């Protein structure tokens, strides 16, 4: 442990203190402020837990989280098994399609499914035109639609985590079970799934927490009685009612505390047991199974089914983006490029802001993430595990909590919120774990003896990093760069509280066009542009990512 390493760790802690700990502490302090007296206390929290409506929203959110987790688990297990164990033609494209929902704004999918499955959407109109039904079927509005949309949005986390678990299982365990006669489904239930517990929990925690962070999807579907939606309404629409504003902040803090508690509980559950074995290990591809023709055909059908649901989003948004009107007809009949002309010629600032803010946030992320990964993996600096824990814990914080805390913490005293730099700083804090996990995983896969050999030869640590470490880390770094940029590019929960006139991004533009009741074609064109950008980037991730993605979002992510 050198002096330089200690100074670097102290610098990283200073950044975390300023951009994470400070604003979040302001959020907690503000939630304890009593509107009537101006004093501080627990009155707001006591009122929250004595108010039947707030308790109802809290219970509704717990139920929704449980249903979303159950649904993603049921559909994610077979999909992850297919992708991890079978050699399938077109696996790269399928993987990119399955990952697509999570890197798009969730509400873009909501708009697409409303057009497709709404009461007078494509499916209902086709069924009525065919004489199969007389009245529209409610496919999407209500709890069932909310569970469906959020489950499809979060399915990639379960698939990624379980795929990592299935790949990392030593084949000897399953082969031993098969020798003892436990083949097929019994072997899968008694051996394979239990060994995947850490990996599964890594994704399951994020899935379970999503309904505690998603305020917009319920609002679009007319379901407002959920904790994040109520928090957003209280803060954004009742700024003249200070009491409701403080109750909204309390709801944000409670959502954050629930997320952190579930996160820590899952971490404790994984660490209390051992999931390692003394055997020869596995290959990077893991165990490969040659399925029977029937199983192979069934697996393709299942992947096509999931892919078809995912493709509804870009196809419907693409049709809407190139149409002038799409009302009370199964498919649009009037085509135009005006929507894109309006975006590219009259609203280019939205695209420019999205790239600039995400790009600046990415530079911050690389500048912080690579040194942080080095400190965590390669040094014995005191507090390195705490640094890793705090950064990873940001995965559990709702985006709304980051946005509100930045607005409270950086408006007076440190007036960063009055300048555009607050947008990339907030995106950096919100999405930092996505880059750090990739860099951390890459460092773990890099043999430290290569760096030690360079230093023994008289090369300094900085030169060793640029000439030895960085070229070998490049694959994981590139995946982290792309993943970070995608997640920052589509962020709205944080940015919606911080943007000012002229700072709008594409996600905010989509939301504002919907919220103001303007033509949906413009919002669809914006969403379609985002889909094209993110899908290309996802193909890059699927091609170069390999084991980096799986290692990053395996049990280490919890």
């Amino acid at each position: 442990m050198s002096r330089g390493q200690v100074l670097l760790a102290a610098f990283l802690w200073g950044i975390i203190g300023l951009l994470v700990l400070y604003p979040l502490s302001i959020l907690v302090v503000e939630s304890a402020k009593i509107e009537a007296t101006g004093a501080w206390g627990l009155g707001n929290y006591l009122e929250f837990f004595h108010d039947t409506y707030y308790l109802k929203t809290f219970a509704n959110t717990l139920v929704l989280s449980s249903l979303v987790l159950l649904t993603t688990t049921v559909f994610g297990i077979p999909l992850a098994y297919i992708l991890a164990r079978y050699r399938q033609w077109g696996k790269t494209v399928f993987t990119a399609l399955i990952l697509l929902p999570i890197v798009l704004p969730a509400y873009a999918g909501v708009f697409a499914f409303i057009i497709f499955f709404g009461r007078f959407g494509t499916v209902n109109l086709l069924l009525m035109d065919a004489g199969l039904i007389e009245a529209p079927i409610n496919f999407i509005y209500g709890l069932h639609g909310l569970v469906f949309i959020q489950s499809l949005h979060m399915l990639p986390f379960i698939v990624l985590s379980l795929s990592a678990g299935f790949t990392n299982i030593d084949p000897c365990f399953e082969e031993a079970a098969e020798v003892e006669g436990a083949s097929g489904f019994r072997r899968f239930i008694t051996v394979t799934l239990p060994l995947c517990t850490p990996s599964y929990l890594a994704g399951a925690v994020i899935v379970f927490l999503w309904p505690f962070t998603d305020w917009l999807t319920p609002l679009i579907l007319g379901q407002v009685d959920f904790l994040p939606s109520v928090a957003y309404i209280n803060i954004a629409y009742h700024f003249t009612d200070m009491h409701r504003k403080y109750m909204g902040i309390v709801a944000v803090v409670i959502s954050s505390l629930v997320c952190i508690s579930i996160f820590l509980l899952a971490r404790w559950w994984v660490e209390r047991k051992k999931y390692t074995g003394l055997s020869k290990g596995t290959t990077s591809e893991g165990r490969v199974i040659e399925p029977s023709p029937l199983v192979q055909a069934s697996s393709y059908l299942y992947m096509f089914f999931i892919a078809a649901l995912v493709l509804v989003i870009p196809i419907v948004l693409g049709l809407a983006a190139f149409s002038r009107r799409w009302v009370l007809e199964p498919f649009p009949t009037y085509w135009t490029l005006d929507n894109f002309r309006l975006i590219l010629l009259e609203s280019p600032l939205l695209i420019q802001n999205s790239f600039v803010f995400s790009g600046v946030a990415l530079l911050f992320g690389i500048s912080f993430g690579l040194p942080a990964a080095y400190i965590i993996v390669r040094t014995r600096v005191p507090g390195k595990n705490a640094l890793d824990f705090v950064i990873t814990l940001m995965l559990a914080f709702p985006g709304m909590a980051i946005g509100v805390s930045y607005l409270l913490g950086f408006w007076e005293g440190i007036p960063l919120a009055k300048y555009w730099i607050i947008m990339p700083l907030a995106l950096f804090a919100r999405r930092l774990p996505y880059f750090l996990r990739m860099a951390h995983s890459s460092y773990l896969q890099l043999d430290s003896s290569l760096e030690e050999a360079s230093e023994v030869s008289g090369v300094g640590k900085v030169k060793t990093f640029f000439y030895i470490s960085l070229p070998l880390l490049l694959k994981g770094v590139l995946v982290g760069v792309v993943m970070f940029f995608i997640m920052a590019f589509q962020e709205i929960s944080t940015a919606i509280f911080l943007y000012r006139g002229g700072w709008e991004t594409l996600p905010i533009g989509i939301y504002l066009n919907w919220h103001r009741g303007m033509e949906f074609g413009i919002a669809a064109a914006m969403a379609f542009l985002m889909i094209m950008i993110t899908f290309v980037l996802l193909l890059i991730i699927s091609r170069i990512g390999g084991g980096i993605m799986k290692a990053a979002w395996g049990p280490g992510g919890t």
Side-chain angles (χ1 to χ4, degrees):
M1 181 176 62
S2 66
R3 181 183 178 185
Q5 292 173 349
V6 174
L7 291 176
L8 178 60
F11 176 72
L12 297 176
W13 268 114
I15 295 176
I16 290 297
L18 175 64
L19 298 181
V20 176
L21 301 180
Y22 164 70
L24 291 176
S25 64
I26 295 295
L27 177 69
V28 174
V29 170
E30 193 72 12
S31 70
K33 191 173 182 179
I34 309 300
E35 183 269 334
T37 63
W40 281 270
L42 297 178
N44 293 332
Y45 289 91
L46 295 175
E47 181 178 345
F48 180 93
F49 287 105
H50 282 90
D51 191 309
T52 55
Y53 176 70
Y54 287 119
L55 288 178
K56 174 187 174 183
T57 62
F58 185 74
N60 288 347
T61 311
L62 281 175
V63 171
L64 177 61
S65 293
S66 301
L67 292 175
V68 170
L69 178 58
L70 177 63
T71 305
T72 54
T73 300
V74 169
F75 285 92
I77 288 176
L79 186 58
Y81 192 83
I82 290 169
L83 293 175
R85 292 297 173 84
Y86 301 160
R87 285 198 178 101
Q88 302 279 16
W89 177 85
K91 182 185 290 189
T92 298
V93 176
F94 277 118
T95 303
L97 283 174
I98 291 163
L99 289 176
L100 184 60
I102 202 166
V103 295
L104 291 176
Y107 53 86
V110 181
F111 292 143
F113 285 118
I114 288 176
I115 294 175
F116 195 71
F117 288 116
R119 288 191 175 91
F120 289 96
T122 299
V123 174
N124 270 315
L125 289 175
L126 290 175
L127 291 175
M128 287 190 288
D129 290 344
L132 298 177
I133 58 174
E134 295 182 358
I137 299 173
N138 181 14
F139 288 112
I140 206 71
Y141 290 99
L143 180 62
H144 62 288
L146 189 55
V147 170
F148 165 69
I149 291 174
Q150 290 194 342
S151 298
L152 186 64
H153 182 64
M154 300 306 293
L155 184 63
F157 275 119
I158 292 292
V159 174
L160 271 178
S161 300
L162 282 175
S163 294
F166 291 143
T167 301
N168 292 332
I169 291 177
D170 192 322
C172 291
F173 293 113
E174 295 180 324
E175 292 167 359
E178 290 169 357
V179 168
E180 295 295 325
S183 60
F185 183 75
R186 184 181 176 190
R187 183 258 304 158
F188 180 78
I189 293 296
T190 58
V191 176
T192 307
L193 269 186
L195 289 173
C196 285
T197 299
S199 297
Y200 169 72
L201 285 178
V205 168
I206 299 175
V207 172
F208 186 85
L209 299 182
W210 174 248
F212 280 92
T213 69
D214 182 18
W215 53 271
L216 186 51
T217 304
L219 286 182
I220 295 175
L221 294 178
Q223 305 289 311
V224 298
D225 295 337
F226 295 94
L227 198 57
S229 301
V230 168
Y232 174 76
I233 291 173
N234 281 3
I235 295 172
Y237 291 96
H238 296 283
F239 50 87
T240 57
D241 187 338
M242 296 304 294
H243 177 68
R244 293 195 65 171
K245 169 194 167 184
Y246 287 126
M247 293 304 293
I249 295 175
V250 167
V252 172
V253 173
I254 290 176
S255 294
S256 302
L257 291 175
V258 170
C259 292
I260 293 171
S261 299
I262 298 297
F263 183 90
L264 295 177
L265 179 63
R267 189 184 184 102
W268 169 80
W269 178 266
V270 169
E271 292 177 351
R272 67 191 286 266
K273 295 182 179 180
K274 291 186 178 294
Y275 297 88
T276 56
L278 299 175
S279 55
K280 66 182 181 182
T282 183
T283 63
S284 60
E285 189 180 15
R287 187 187 187 193
V288 176
I289 297 176
E290 295 296 335
S292 66
L294 179 60
V295 173
Q296 183 86 314
S298 300
S299 64
Y300 270 114
L301 286 175
Y302 188 72
M303 287 195 301
F304 276 118
F305 169 70
I306 300 296
L309 290 178
V310 172
L311 282 172
V312 166
I313 300 174
I315 290 174
V316 170
L317 291 177
L319 292 175
F322 289 99
S323 66
R324 167 56 65 189
R325 56 181 177 268
W326 188 355
V327 181
L328 297 179
E329 52 186 3
F331 302 100
T333 55
Y334 182 80
W335 305 99
T336 181
L337 293 175
D338 286 348
N339 297 322
F340 290 97
R341 181 182 63 81
L342 288 170
I343 297 172
L344 297 176
L345 298 181
E346 299 182 17
S347 304
L349 193 61
L350 300 178
I351 302 174
Q352 177 183 317
N353 286 342
S354 294
F355 278 99
V356 170
F357 294 161
S358 300
V360 173
L362 176 60
L363 292 178
F364 291 153
I366 296 173
S367 301
F368 182 93
L370 282 175
Y374 169 77
I375 289 294
I376 292 168
V377 178
R378 288 288 190 260
T379 72
R380 298 182 179 180
V381 174
K384 67 168 188 172
N385 292 331
L387 180 67
D388 183 26
F389 176 74
V390 171
I391 296 172
T392 306
L393 197 63
M394 294 300 291
L395 287 171
F397 272 99
M400 190 186 306
I402 305 297
V404 175
S405 67
Y406 266 54
L407 187 61
L408 295 172
F410 294 117
W411 187 254
E412 297 178 353
I414 308 177
L416 290 176
K418 299 179 181 180
Y419 304 96
W420 68 268
I421 195 66
I422 195 66
M423 297 288 281
L425 284 176
L427 295 178
F428 159 74
R430 170 79 168 125
R431 298 306 187 184
L432 178 59
Y434 288 87
F435 180 82
L436 180 66
R437 298 315 304 173
M438 304 302 172
H440 181 277
S441 175
S442 298
Y443 258 115
L444 289 176
Q445 295 178 3
L446 175 62
D447 192 341
S448 60
S449 62
L450 298 174
E451 298 167 316
E452 293 168 357
S454 174
E455 293 174 14
V456 167
S457 301
V459 179
K461 291 184 179 295
V462 175
K463 195 172 182 180
T464 295
F465 172 78
F466 282 103
Y467 284 91
I468 303 295
S469 304
L470 187 57
L472 296 174
L473 294 171
L474 194 58
K475 179 179 178 180
V477 169
L478 286 177
V479 174
V481 164
V482 175
M483 195 68 182
F484 182 102
F485 184 84
I486 290 175
M487 300 306 292
F489 195 78
Q490 59 93 50
E491 174 63 31
I492 186 173
S493 293
T494 297
I496 197 69
F497 291 96
L498 299 172
Y499 86 95
R500 303 174 73 180
W503 299 357
E504 294 88 348
T505 59
L506 272 176
I508 294 175
I510 297 170
Y511 169 70
L512 292 178
N513 274 279
W514 164 77
H515 189 60
R516 294 167 182 168
M518 299 175 69
E519 291 190 40
F520 179 69
I522 299 174
M526 294 178 182
F528 190 72
L529 280 177
M530 293 189 67
I531 288 174
M532 293 299 99
I533 294 169
T534 53
F535 187 69
V536 171
L537 294 175
L538 277 175
L539 286 177
I540 296 173
I541 286 181
S542 299
R543 176 62 62 182
I544 69 176
I548 300 291
M549 286 285 287
K550 293 179 179 179
W553 297 105
T558 307

